[in-house]
Amino acid sequence: MPSRSSNPGGASRVRRRALLGTVVLVVLVALAGLAAYLTRDSRTPAKPAPQPSSSQSSFSTPSPSGPPTVTTRPRTLPVPPKTTDPISFGKAAAAALWSYDTRAYSQAELRRALCAWLTAEVKYADAASVDRGIPSAVLWKEMAANGQFATATVNEGHFPNAFTRALQEDPGAITQAYIYAVTVSGKQTIAWKGSPAGGAESRSTTLAVQCRPHQPCTLAGVMPSSCPESRSRKEVPPWTSAAFR
């Protein structure tokens, strides 16, 4: 009777399956390790970017409540801004009119600089109202002997009620001259040799600002009072009828 023997073919197949399973397991473990190594940096939390210190920042961000305060600097002649916003231009013009520096330029140079702010339309330009705000040549000489200068800080600008009412009653009236009345308030600080701190006083004035469409604003004139209705008919400048009706 023949003796029993194991099936060599079946055993071989079992060994091959076991070996194949081991190889697959090793490969999977290796791939998992490689993936963990490659993705290690992406799992590391990024360090927060350092915030700039106050010494690193050279510009301040305007507050959401409105544009920054306009402040003049001594020793510089006023240059009109390139803006189409009548209130922004009015604030800049008021700062220019409230400022001077007898140490840096002459009275004639200041007059020429301020004339550059005026509209080129002679019909509406009231140069005399600007001249009234400049110290006379004689007074300028006396102030220059003391090294006197003035700086201005403008805090607020708005359309006066009289202008707003007139615009509401006749919106098309402004399209003739495009002149806006702008009332500006702020402070003027005056200083001189031996008194660098000086003293400050509140200022308020109403300006006529011409802002034609697609053109930079210009200055038409200056009212000595923020209430144009209080002026007599003889004192009314040429642009008043275009700004107030």
Side-chain angles (χ1 to χ4, degrees), residues 4 14 32 65 82 88 139 187 234 236:
R4 296 181 179 177
V14 171
S65 58
K82 299 295 184 181
S88 295
L139 180 58
K187 287 186 177 181
K234 293 182 180 180
V236 173

Side-chain angles (χ1 to χ4, degrees), residues 75-162:
R75 296 188 179 276
T76 58
L77 284 166
V79 178
K82 299 295 184 181
T83 178
T84 57
D85 178 19
I87 291 182
S88 295
F89 185 91
K91 292 171 70 174
L97 291 166
W98 297 341
S99 308
Y100 58 83
D101 194 340
T102 63
R103 306 165 302 174
Y105 43 77
S106 67
Q107 188 252 18
E109 289 174 321
L110 178 59
R111 287 188 65 189
R112 286 195 295 269
L114 291 176
C115 281
W117 291 64
L118 285 169
T119 175
E121 299 181 39
V122 181
K123 178 181 179 180
Y124 301 114
D126 186 12
S129 66
V130 175
D131 283 342
R132 284 194 293 267
I134 303 174
S136 67
V138 175
L139 180 58
W140 186 276
K141 185 177 181 180
E142 295 177 358
M143 294 190 305
N146 294 322
Q148 184 169 318
F149 63 96
T151 56
T153 300
V154 173
N155 298 323
E156 188 268 342
H158 66 274
F159 297 132
N161 291 333

Side-chain angles (χ1 to χ4, degrees), residues 30-65:
L31 289 175
L34 180 61
Y37 175 80
L38 293 176
T39 58
R40 179 183 59 184
D41 293 338
S42 64
R43 293 196 306 267
T44 304
K47 294 181 180 180
Q51 296 295 326
S53 63
S54 58
S55 61
Q56 292 174 316
S57 177
S58 58
F59 296 96
S60 60
T61 303
S63 64
S65 58

Side-chain angles (χ1 to χ4, degrees), residues 195-244:
S195 180
E201 64 176 5
S202 298
R203 299 294 300 269
S204 179
T205 190
T206 297
L207 306 98
V209 178
Q210 186 179 49
C211 297
R212 290 198 178 276
H214 314 298
Q215 295 181 20
C217 295
T218 55
L219 183 64
V222 183
M223 297 283 285
S225 170
S226 60
C227 299
E229 302 96 324
S230 65
R231 306 188 69 193
S232 68
R233 189 174 297 273
K234 293 182 180 180
E235 294 176 321
V236 173
W239 44 260
T240 303
S241 59
F244 301 94

